Amino acid sequence: MDSIFLSGIPDSKGITTIQKLYASESILTTSLFNQYILLKISENSKILCKLVPQIAFTFTFGRCDASVINHRPNKLIDPLTVNLEVTVSKEHIEPICVTTAKRMVVSIIFKDVKYQDIWSKNTTKLADVVRHILRLYVVLNNCIVNLKKLGSKQNFNIDYILIHKTDCKNAARISSETSIMIIKTMSTIQFYHAEIGLEIKPLFGMEPQVTCLKNIIKAARNGCNPLCTMILLIGPSSSGKTCLVHHVAASLKCIIFNLISTDLISADPGSTELAIRDLFKRAQLLIKQDSKTVCIIMFEKAESMLNGKSTNAKRICAQFQDCLSSIQNYCRIIVIATTSMPHLIDTSFKQGSRFSYEIYIGIPSEKDRVKLIKGMLRTLNLNIQHKTTLSLAKLTPGYTAADLELVLKEICRESCIASELENGILSNAILLIARHPASSLKSGIGQVITKSESSPDINLGGLTNVKLMFDVCIKWPLMYPKAFKHFSVPPPKGVLLYGPPGCGKTSLVRSVASLANLNVLTAMAAELYSPYLGVTEANISQLFQRARANIPAVLFIDEIDSLVSCRSEDKKGSSGFDDRVLSTFLVEMDGITNDTEYGQGVVVVAATNRPDKIDTALLRPGRFDRQIYVQPPLLAEERFNILHTIINNSEQSVPISDSSILNKVALMTNYFSAADLANVVKEAVLSCLTIDGLETCMTVKKEHFEDALKIVKPSLSKKQILWYKNFSSEKKINHIKIDCCDDIEQLEM
């Protein structure tokens, strides 16, 4: 046999197996047995061990103890990551001579920083302890001695000993006369985080946040007082807050304590406070032992512990504040709290120097999504053209880094979709994106409609002028914000659609997603209403927040008159519910700014049958800038277009015997709304199925429509249509009167 397969020796075997390689004597050269060898197991590491024959072993297997690992100069390795399950042959074995060392330079790695602090006060005794321990081993230059196989009483709470240099050319044995020189002591966490360094995972689309955090840490490492040592990292869930901190800490080789706040909370009184105190004391000891170490304490989901609501939470907050005060003079301890709900954190943590510095990670913009998609595609080994990447970024508004990662991984799993994307075909990718909406859209108030979930062939019969106004007021501000900025024209924040019931106000808004890359959030006023105090206002704020988090977005509120009705003298004796709801709605509309990449990013659209019931504060410019009258189909041509759209639906078309029937039906349906016409078609189909039979019916005929018209009656009246026309004309007259009065006042002045 020329090779054997290695495996490790269990730690329970004791010190008798230290630095031993057990193998059958019939495998390797007999002259090497009972001698020390260097066993090469990778390009960066070799194991120093003694080759011991064992007859009971099979010819193809061997067991090795990796207590002493040789590494390249100035390239430390993690002893726990050394893989012993490899195949080795004679070429991997190098015999080595062993002599007694007179001098040795070492570094000591303790299990915890508290043991490092104790032993650092008595280095002479520590050198004696190290000499005593190393007499169990044979070592060489640039090696790591793993002491974890020894018990805590045998290794004196020392995990590793780094052998930097000996006075021997080859392997060295330690005697009672060997001089031990300790140049550095450290704890295990410092060894892994600051000496070896954590794995630097790629991070895309967060360059400003990375630069900001790195500048703070570099200033702290140089001994300067940074901008702030207590940072509140705010961002929605799955936006990459934890990844950001880990990336910066790994890049700068900082020690990081990553704790989820719930890990510290315990049911035992006082145990949570004790854990917090121990954590901060541990961080202080770490920077005390090394003048260049920067320690980062990161609390994830800080709102779960720092809310100060219950009695227990108040005690925790008080203890946390004391600990924050105790580290104000330690510039190399940086506390970072991450949260997606900063409003839940107690206000006492935002006073003075406590978390006075905030870093915000928002929903990635389209440019950021392009960077994220390109970077993730490189890691997934998927080659997609730049034009296709831009299309994917446009199809995913509101998606966080985690959402995009999920979508791209699903694309890689579907090999046919991946190959289509490489060829620039997006049809199946759009359907896949529809199955994985943005996390901020998955739950909450309001239904969500995206482009990928809508049919691209949606068409509304009639409403030609209304659809043109819709494009100008809604689509253009969100799709072409640069044109508005060029002319310094503020786009309309809101559009009010009013008209009789059943004329297509809601359907008009729902078709927007199929015509542009917009997220559409729809909500009924009844969904927002709650009988409990403050819940309605919170629902309104949450709805606007979801819209702002998923720009470009259209926020559609149906039947808004039932939510924000007119304020009147009759309501003064009420509890003020209507006034509070209206005030919240006005504040949220005024909070829509024009500083995003899509201009203002959100357009609010409301629909109502009773425009006279809406408070005038909402109808002024800057809120619902445009009021669009969605009139019923009064002309036969308009009704024909609606009927033609219903009959020739791309998904479910209705077969009719003669296309001229629609012209006749359009003439017979005066005062019918669009909803009434859809009902007429439905009743005609039911009549066809009833009269001709389920199995024999083929097409819908004229007599079936006549039967339907006997059942369906028009929902509109002449008086109702006249009222809406008068209201529309009064709005225009009022605008003219106001402008004239302003001109007269200016002339008089």
Side-chain angles (χ1 to χ4, degrees):
M1 295 289 293
D2 293 331
S3 62
I4 59 172
F5 184 79
L6 281 183
S7 63
I9 300 176
D11 293 343
S12 59
K13 296 296 181 181
I15 63 173
T16 56
T17 59
I18 288 178
Q19 275 191 285
K20 300 294 193 300
L21 169 59
Y22 296 100
S24 173
E25 60 181 358
S26 60
I27 298 175
L28 303 171
T29 306
T30 309
S31 59
L32 293 176
F33 282 113
N34 295 315
Q35 292 188 23
Y36 280 93
I37 61 169
L38 273 177
L39 180 64
K40 183 178 180 181
I41 57 173
S42 70
E43 292 295 327
N44 299 319
S45 59
K46 298 178 182 178
I47 296 176
L48 178 60
C49 56
K50 186 177 183 180
L51 187 56
V52 178
Q54 190 162 338
I55 301 173
F57 265 45
T58 61
F59 293 158
T60 56
F61 290 93
R63 290 195 299 176
C64 181
D65 175 69
S67 293
V68 180
I69 303 172
N70 177 237
H71 59 84
R72 291 184 177 182
N74 301 321
K75 287 190 178 182
L76 291 173
I77 59 173
D78 182 2
L80 300 180
T81 60
V82 174
N83 183 23
L84 283 177
E85 295 182 354
V86 294
T87 301
V88 296
S89 61
K90 296 178 181 179
E91 289 74 18
H92 295 90
I93 296 175
E94 177 187 345
I96 190 168
C97 299
V98 181
T99 56
T100 303
K102 295 181 180 179
R103 293 181 300 278
M104 189 173 294
V105 180
V106 300
S107 293
I108 311 300
I109 302 168
F110 291 92
K111 186 179 295 184
D112 194 80
V113 67
K114 62 182 179 181
Y115 304 116
Q116 179 190 1
D117 184 55
I118 293 169
W119 282 105
S120 62
K121 299 171 184 176
N122 194 346
T123 55
T124 305
K125 190 175 181 180
L126 179 60
D128 294 336
V129 169
V130 171
R131 185 184 302 107
H132 173 73
I133 294 173
L134 288 179
R135 291 180 72 176
L136 295 171
Y137 301 88
V138 172
V139 299
L140 72 164
N141 296 337
N142 300 313
C143 73
I144 302 174
V145 182
N146 187 352
L147 307 181
K148 290 191 174 183
K149 183 169 282 192
L150 305 178
S152 58
K153 292 183 179 179
Q154 292 174 306
N155 61 18
F156 296 88
N157 295 303
I158 299 173
D159 277 351
Y160 306 108
I161 298 176
L162 303 183
I163 310 297
H164 299 292
K165 190 178 180 181
T166 68
D167 60 349
C168 302
K169 293 182 179 180
N170 296 312
R173 184 179 282 111
I174 293 83
S175 67
S176 58
E177 297 179 356
T178 303
S179 173
I180 304 294
M181 180 181 178
I182 301 172
I183 61 171
K184 190 173 185 180
T185 61
M186 66 187 86
S187 60
T188 304
I189 191 170
Q190 183 181 353
F191 173 66
Y192 282 119
H193 291 202
E195 296 295 326
I196 296 178
L198 299 172
E199 180 186 358
I200 303 176
K201 295 183 179 179
L203 192 68
F204 311 105
M206 291 190 193
E207 288 80 7
Q209 292 88 348
V210 169
T211 303
C212 179
L213 201 54
K214 279 186 175 181
N215 289 338
I216 293 174
I217 294 174
K218 287 177 181 178
R221 176 167 286 168
N222 294 331
C224 306
N225 286 324
L227 298 173
C228 187
T229 57
M230 303 172 197
I231 302 167
L232 191 62
L233 194 57
I234 304 171
S237 300
S238 305
S239 59
K241 301 183 291 294
T242 304
C243 292
L244 169 64
V245 179
H246 277 280
H247 175 82
V248 174
S251 301
L252 300 178
K253 289 192 174 182
C254 302
I255 298 174
I256 179 169
F257 294 101
N258 184 13
L259 296 170
I260 299 177
S261 300
T262 51
D263 293 341
L264 295 173
I265 298 175
S266 175
D268 299 331
S271 58
T272 303
E273 294 91 315
L274 179 61
I276 294 172
R277 286 197 301 272
D278 289 344
L279 177 63
F280 278 85
K281 285 181 181 177
R282 192 178 175 193
Q284 291 174 19
L285 285 174
L286 280 168
I287 66 167
K288 177 183 174 183
Q289 297 298 326
D290 193 336
S291 60
K292 291 294 182 181
T293 298
V294 175
C295 185
I296 298 175
I297 302 175
M298 181 172 68
F299 288 95
E300 292 189 58
K301 300 179 181 178
E303 70 276 359
S304 62
M305 190 172 69
L306 307 182
N307 49 47
K309 291 183 179 179
S310 63
T311 305
N312 187 33
K314 288 179 180 178
R315 291 201 311 270
I316 294 172
C317 288
Q319 180 63 69
F320 201 85
Q321 289 170 6
D322 290 342
C323 290
L324 290 177
S325 300
S326 67
I327 63 166
Q328 284 184 350
N329 296 326
Y330 294 87
C331 65
R332 287 184 287 117
I333 298 179
I334 296 175
V335 182
I336 300 176
T338 69
T339 179
S340 58
M341 294 177 281
H343 59 280
L344 295 181
I345 295 178
D346 193 78
T347 53
S348 61
F349 288 98
K350 300 178 182 179
Q351 297 173 358
S353 60
R354 299 175 192 152
F355 297 114
S356 59
Y357 197 82
E358 296 181 356
I359 298 177
Y360 180 72
I361 302 175
I363 300 292
S365 63
E366 187 174 324
K367 292 180 180 178
D368 293 335
R369 290 197 300 274
V370 170
K371 294 178 183 178
L372 282 166
I373 292 171
K374 282 185 176 180
M376 291 176 184
L377 289 175
R378 283 197 299 269
T379 58
L380 295 171
N381 296 322
L382 195 62
N383 296 320
I384 294 178
Q385 295 180 358
H386 179 68
K387 188 182 292 184
T388 308
T389 305
L390 292 176
S391 301
L392 287 175
K394 288 181 180 179
L395 286 169
T396 51
Y399 280 63
T400 62
D403 298 330
L404 291 172
E405 185 179 11
L406 174 62
V407 169
L408 293 176
K409 283 183 177 179
E410 288 294 327
I411 288 174
C412 287
R413 287 175 189 169
E414 301 284 344
S415 57
C416 58
I417 299 178
S419 60
E420 286 179 358
L421 277 179
E422 289 178 348
N423 296 324
I425 303 172
L426 290 166
S427 55
N428 287 322
I430 291 173
L431 297 176
L432 188 142
I433 291 170
R435 296 199 300 268
H436 301 283
S439 54
S440 56
L441 295 174
K442 289 178 183 177
S443 61
I445 297 172
Q447 179 187 358
V448 179
I449 306 172
T450 62
K451 177 181 175 65
S452 52
E453 295 172 306
S454 304
S455 171
D457 299 326
I458 289 178
N459 187 20
L460 296 175
L463 303 176
T464 305
N465 294 330
V466 174
K467 285 190 282 188
L468 178 60
M469 289 294 296
F470 218 71
D471 289 345
V472 174
C473 299
I474 297 176
K475 287 174 58 180
W476 289 4
L478 297 178
M479 295 180 67
Y480 312 106
K482 291 182 180 179
F484 285 83
K485 287 184 179 181
H486 177 73
F487 291 101
S488 301
V489 176
K493 287 185 179 181
V495 177
L496 179 66
L497 304 178
Y498 68 93
C503 292
K505 297 184 293 295
T506 304
S507 300
L508 185 67
V509 176
R510 289 178 179 270
S511 67
V512 171
S514 67
L515 303 174
N517 294 311
L518 305 175
N519 291 322
V520 180
L521 280 77
T522 66
M524 300 285 290
E527 294 179 57
L528 301 173
Y529 174 78
S530 174
Y532 300 105
L533 182 65
V535 177
T536 304
E537 297 92 306
N539 290 341
I540 293 172
S541 299
Q542 181 186 348
L543 187 64
F544 274 86
Q545 185 177 358
R546 289 185 72 199
R548 284 192 291 266
N550 294 279
I551 60 172
V554 175
L555 176 56
F556 175 59
I557 302 174
D558 205 358
E559 300 176 0
I560 194 173
D561 53 283
S562 61
L563 185 68
V564 284
S565 56
C566 289
R567 291 171 286 190
S568 63
E569 296 291 331
D570 300 336
K571 296 182 181 179
K572 278 193 172 180
S574 64
S575 61
F577 169 77
D578 294 333
D579 291 346
R580 291 198 308 272
V581 172
L582 178 61
S583 298
T584 303
F585 202 92
L586 294 175
V587 168
E588 291 294 341
M589 284 209 70
D590 292 341
I592 298 174
T593 58
N594 194 27
D595 56 357
T596 70
E597 62 172 332
Y598 299 100
Q600 64 190 18
V602 179
V603 174
V604 183
V605 182
T608 179
N609 303 326
R610 296 297 305 273
D612 57 318
K613 295 293 184 181
I614 298 176
D615 195 275
T616 53
L618 277 171
L619 302 179
R620 72 161 178 81
R623 287 165 184 163
F624 285 111
D625 303 78
R626 289 294 186 96
Q627 292 98 43
I628 301 175
Y629 173 42
V630 184
Q631 61 182 4
L634 300 177
L635 302 177
E637 182 182 355
E638 294 175 345
R639 293 193 292 274
F640 172 80
N641 290 334
I642 294 172
L643 288 168
H644 186 270
T645 302
I646 297 170
I647 293 293
N648 297 294
N649 191 343
S650 60
E651 294 182 356
Q652 296 177 346
S653 60
V654 178
I656 57 175
S657 59
D658 188 4
S659 59
S660 62
I661 297 175
L662 298 181
N663 289 315
K664 296 176 182 178
V665 174
L667 294 171
M668 298 165 63
T669 50
N670 199 18
Y671 296 117
F672 276 68
S673 66
D676 296 335
L677 294 173
N679 198 21
V680 167
V681 174
K682 184 186 74 172
E683 291 295 335
V685 172
L686 291 175
S687 176
C688 176
L689 295 173
T690 304
I691 297 172
D692 296 350
L694 293 172
E695 297 180 355
T696 58
C697 62
M698 297 297 292
T699 57
V700 181
K701 302 174 183 177
K702 179 182 177 183
E703 51 267 25
H704 299 141
F705 278 101
E706 291 174 349
D707 292 339
L709 289 172
K710 293 177 183 178
I711 300 172
V712 181
K713 301 300 178 184
S715 61
L716 303 176
S717 64
K718 186 176 181 180
K719 183 179 179 181
Q720 190 178 17
I721 294 171
L722 185 62
W723 186 90
Y724 281 105
K725 281 187 176 180
N726 290 336
F727 182 84
S728 178
S729 60
E730 284 177 7
K731 294 289 292 181
K732 294 177 181 177
I733 292 170
N734 288 337
H735 280 302
I736 294 171
K737 285 182 178 179
I738 291 169
D739 293 340
C740 291
C741 291
D742 291 342
D743 293 340
I744 292 169
E745 289 177 1
Q746 290 177 3
L747 288 171
E748 288 177 352
M749 291 173 66

